[in-house]
């Protein structure tokens, strides 16, 4: 997975856009969560045996480095890849594969930080291309927006 162009369109690498873990954990930004729900289990979604048992939303909020930092950036990467408003470098399958590779290969925080750095570079290249859910153009009373304004 390392160094591969994972999200190809017509033979060219996609990407160049991403939103940070802070954006995805921000209050009211769950209207942009597609495919995944904030309450989904991290270990189940990524198919890994983590040292923590948290929802995707709680994984975004946890502090610390190493595995915890990988968790934050993995969730942000997954949400970036799933959202059609973000031209992200990885597909959801590519993000999951990278996280599974990290768990298969790592037993130290230093190792986890190496994988985290790959996702962090894609999550933070530019300002987030999507607006907060409470902005006028993103108000939604539908099931994902949960009526937040």
């Amino acid at each position: 997975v390392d160094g591969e162009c994972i999200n190809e369109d017509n033979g060219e690498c996609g990407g160049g856009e991403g939103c940070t873990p802070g954006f995805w954990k921000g209050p009211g930004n769950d209207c942009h969560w597609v495919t995944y729900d904030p309450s989904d289990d991290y270990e189940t979604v990524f198919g890994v045996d983590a040292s923590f048992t948290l929802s995707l939303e709680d994984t975004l909020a946890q502090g610390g480095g190493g595995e915890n930092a990988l968790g934050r950036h993995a969730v942000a990467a997954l949400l970036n890849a799933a959202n059609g408003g973000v031209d992200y470098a990885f597909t959801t399958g590519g993000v999951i594969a990278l996280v599974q590779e990290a768990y298969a290969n790592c037993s130290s925080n230093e190792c986890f930080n190496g994988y985290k750095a790959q996702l962090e570079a894609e999550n933070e290249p530019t300002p987030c291309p999507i607006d907060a859910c409470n902005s006028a153009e993103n108000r939604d009373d539908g099931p994902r927006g949960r009526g937040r304004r």
Side-chain angles (χ1 to χ4, degrees):
V1 174
D2 186 21
E4 291 181 28
C5 176
I6 296 187
N7 190 5
E8 282 194 26
D9 186 19
N10 299 323
E12 295 183 19
C13 288
E17 294 181 343
C19 301
T20 65
F23 172 84
W24 291 109
K25 75 175 182 179
N29 282 340
D30 61 347
C31 74
H32 293 300
W33 287 57
V34 295
T35 308
Y36 302 96
D37 191 81
S39 65
D40 288 345
D41 180 71
Y42 175 86
E43 291 177 301
T44 301
V45 169
F46 287 100
V48 297
D49 184 18
S51 67
F52 53 86
T53 303
L54 297 172
S55 68
L56 296 180
E57 183 175 44
D58 290 341
T59 300
L60 284 169
Q62 71 179 340
E67 181 187 4
N68 290 1
L70 172 65
R72 286 191 305 275
H73 279 280
V75 173
L78 187 70
L79 298 173
N80 283 325
N83 189 290
V86 180
D87 184 14
Y88 197 64
F90 291 92
T91 62
T92 56
V95 172
I96 290 169
L98 188 139
V99 172
Q100 289 175 342
E101 182 180 302
Y103 278 89
N105 293 329
C106 294
S107 60
S108 70
N109 280 339
E110 183 178 336
C111 181
F112 280 116
N113 281 334
Y115 284 93
K116 183 265 311 184
Q118 293 178 57
L119 297 175
E120 183 178 38
E122 300 302 331
N123 291 340
E124 301 185 358
T126 61
C128 181
I130 51 180
D131 292 328
C133 297
N134 60 359
S135 69
E137 68 183 60
N138 287 312
R139 290 185 181 156
D140 180 10
D141 289 330
R144 299 302 303 174
R146 296 178 178 83
R148 293 184 178 175
R149 298 199 186 271

